Amino acid sequence: MRFAGVAAISLDLDDTLWPFQPAVERAEATLHAWLVKHAPGTARILPARGMLGKLRNDYEHSRPDLAGNYRALRIGSIELALALAGEDMGLAEEAYGVFYSARQKVEFFEDVWPALTWLSARFPLVALTNGNADLRLTGGGAFFRETLSARAVGIAKPQAGIFHAAALAAGVPASELLHVGDDFHLDYLGALNAGLQAAWLVRDHPKETAPGEYARYVTIRDLTALCCALGGPANL
């Protein structure tokens, strides 16, 4: 597998550079402990820390107007928990700050740092996310020319505009930007439909053992494979 005419690369963050679910679960555990300490009544509403995720998802379903606004959805669900518990809703902003800080504590996949070191020495890199991870806090920001989030740009993947914004940030035509991400629809198809080149990162199902339907797509098992496809060594 080789790519042609790649002048820059954009990379998704969650589940591409690090696993998303463990980071959120740790952040929700931290938030739960903070709420129980500072707003004790929430212990009755949220007897188990895992209920924070359910409350947040239920709140999202009730507020389709906030789709994609992760900050507003999380704060709204915290306010709901505080209201149901009869606690001070004014604590929501501080509680969100606790959650947000903990959410940035991620564990990068083993292949990521060596791959980013190799890639960033050869291509302008742009981070492209629909989420709220901040590379200045997670680490790794020095590898990237710019980070574009759906919230900052005002449009989200898979809309073409956010991919075109990434190409502009990288200083290359869309056709010369290679986008890499784990989500087939948001990342892979979104990038192709925007006129980019694309690679679908499928960590759980490496291409050589993937179901047949995967074979028709450009897939990579990790970022080391991406480096190989771009002319790099097999073992960084």
Side-chain angles (χ1 to χ4, degrees):
M1 174 183 58
R2 295 277 176 176
F3 297 100
V6 173
I9 299 170
S10 58
L11 290 146
D12 175 53
L13 297 180
D14 290 321
D15 284 330
T16 295
L17 302 190
W18 55 73
F20 172 68
Q21 197 58 37
V24 171
E25 289 176 356
R26 284 192 298 270
E28 288 183 342
T30 301
L31 172 60
H32 185 267
W34 189 93
L35 285 171
V36 168
K37 179 179 179 180
H38 296 276
T42 57
R44 174 175 52 85
I45 304 302
L46 304 165
R49 69 188 189 191
M51 294 188 70
L52 273 168
K54 182 180 184 306
L55 185 67
R56 187 257 185 227
N57 291 338
D58 290 346
Y59 184 76
E60 181 176 13
H61 291 147
S62 73
R63 293 296 305 272
D65 57 307
L66 296 178
N69 189 336
Y70 299 107
R71 182 179 187 277
L73 289 169
R74 183 64 67 173
I75 289 178
S77 66
I78 293 171
E79 288 177 337
L80 178 58
L82 291 167
L84 291 172
E87 295 283 358
D88 179 10
M89 292 173 61
L91 292 171
E93 285 282 353
E94 186 177 357
Y96 176 75
V98 169
F99 170 84
Y100 184 76
S101 177
R103 184 259 186 272
Q104 307 304 319
K105 294 180 172 125
V106 300
E107 295 180 5
F108 286 80
F109 290 114
E110 186 177 338
D111 57 286
V112 169
W113 287 96
L116 289 181
T117 300
W118 188 88
L119 291 167
S120 64
R122 292 158 178 83
F123 302 95
L125 302 184
V126 176
L128 195 59
T129 179
N130 281 0
N132 59 1
D134 186 337
L135 287 172
R136 294 170 299 182
L137 301 175
T138 63
F143 294 114
F144 291 85
R145 174 176 291 190
E146 193 165 343
T147 298
L148 300 179
S149 69
R151 185 179 176 207
V153 177
I155 46 177
K157 297 179 292 183
Q159 296 180 70
I162 194 168
F163 292 104
H164 294 161
L168 183 64
V172 302
S175 62
E176 295 179 11
L177 179 63
L178 169 63
H179 180 70
V180 181
D182 69 287
D183 190 291
F184 178 70
H185 295 283
L186 299 183
D187 291 303
Y188 185 73
L189 287 186
L192 290 180
N193 290 336
L196 278 65
Q197 299 183 56
W200 181 21
L201 179 61
V202 189
R203 290 184 179 275
D204 292 336
H205 301 284
K207 187 174 182 181
E208 58 268 26
T209 59
E213 62 269 19
Y214 284 32
R216 75 184 76 143
Y217 310 120
V218 178
T219 62
I220 54 173
R221 66 182 181 275
D222 55 28
L223 294 190
T224 302
L226 175 66
C227 294
C228 289
L230 293 167
N235 51 349
L236 294 174

